[in-house]
Amino acid sequence: TVRIGIPPIIVTSLCRSIFPKFIAEHPNIELKIYEAGAAELQRKLLLQEIDLAFLITPITMPNISHTDVHSNQIVAIFNKDHWLAKVDGPITYKMLENAKLAIFDETFLLHNQIIKNFHLSGVSPNIFFTAAQWDLLIAICEAMDTVALLPRPILELYKDKNLEYRTFDPEFPWTVTLAKLNNVYQNDLVKDTERYFIESISAIK
């Protein structure tokens, strides 16, 4: 048995096809999946309740080592009637000073990162709506004059929607990492599983 922690957004955006493929190719390994936010998964690693965890950098707790497996960006998502649709190229935080923002709630580390980035740019974000479900954030910005700030891979699930996006200048990185607790013995099954996911997810464009 290999115990893996993973935030739901990473399951949906990056691992939907990788988990079934792993299970088919490794019938001798039982995966136990724990879905939770990054802070809770780091806690589970420290308590040795899980063997591996997919996390979003930065890692905030000590004694955890990690390997980056996927690099992408947080982007501004809006409907095609929004004024941002007329902007060519990346946007700045200053451009969103008066925009209504839809973001993850306080249980997500991304919530604090977004607010920090705005403040570093000298802008007070106008947080209009928060939620724990990205599909609700997408629905809000599709139906209203609202901007959702989400990882770009999420858009792959909504290609048929009336949506556009813009990246940020400077870039707002979204880096997925596979983490483990330092100085803890791991058997060969855990090591093989770690290697498989590092290679599989790193290959995603």
Side-chain angles (χ1 to χ4, degrees):
T1 299
V2 178
R3 304 165 301 172
I4 298 180
I6 185 167
I9 194 168
I10 298 178
V11 175
T12 302
S13 61
L14 295 178
C15 294
R16 285 179 302 149
S17 60
I18 293 176
F19 276 124
K21 189 170 183 288
F22 177 90
I23 293 169
E25 294 177 1
H26 300 82
N28 61 317
I29 299 179
E30 177 190 3
L31 288 184
K32 285 193 173 180
I33 306 299
Y34 298 84
E35 291 190 60
E40 173 64 10
L41 293 179
Q42 289 181 68
R43 186 190 70 83
K44 283 183 172 293
L45 272 181
L46 292 176
L47 294 175
Q48 299 185 43
E49 295 177 355
I50 55 178
D51 304 300
L52 303 167
F54 288 95
L55 302 172
I56 306 299
T57 59
I59 307 299
T60 58
M61 293 186 183
N63 205 33
I64 294 176
S65 61
H66 60 94
T67 302
D68 293 346
V69 296
H70 182 80
S71 295
N72 218 297
Q73 298 182 59
I74 300 299
V75 297
I77 302 171
F78 44 87
N79 66 55
K80 293 181 179 180
D81 295 323
H82 195 278
W83 62 265
L84 279 175
K86 299 178 182 178
V87 176
D88 293 327
I91 61 174
T92 65
Y93 295 100
K94 183 68 176 176
M95 292 170 67
L96 294 181
E97 186 169 24
N98 297 314
K100 296 178 180 178
L101 302 181
I103 66 173
F104 280 131
D105 64 27
E106 295 87 348
T107 62
F108 289 78
L109 293 178
L110 180 57
H111 178 96
N112 294 328
Q113 285 180 289
I114 288 170
I115 292 175
K116 179 181 177 181
N117 283 2
F118 271 91
H119 287 167
L120 288 174
S121 297
V123 179
S124 295
N126 177 17
I127 308 299
F128 173 73
F129 184 81
T130 65
Q133 298 295 325
W134 59 86
D135 54 349
L136 183 53
L137 298 177
I138 288 287
I140 289 291
C141 73
E142 185 182 20
M144 302 179 65
D145 186 30
T146 305
V147 180
L149 304 186
L150 292 168
R152 182 163 56 182
I154 285 294
L155 284 167
E156 292 297 314
L157 306 175
Y158 301 97
K159 289 181 177 180
D160 60 336
K161 299 294 185 179
N162 183 41
L163 298 171
E164 290 193 22
Y165 78 92
R166 295 292 183 273
T167 56
F168 281 93
D169 181 17
E171 287 188 358
F172 190 162
W174 185 73
T175 302
V176 178
T177 191
L178 185 56
K180 60 186 177 183
L181 189 62
N182 286 331
N183 305 317
V184 172
Y185 170 76
Q186 289 187 320
N187 62 40
D188 289 340
L189 288 184
V190 174
K191 292 177 182 177
D192 289 345
T193 301
E194 179 185 18
R195 187 179 308 111
Y196 182 94
F197 281 106
I198 288 173
E199 293 175 354
S200 298
I201 298 179
S202 295
I204 298 174
K205 303 300 184 182

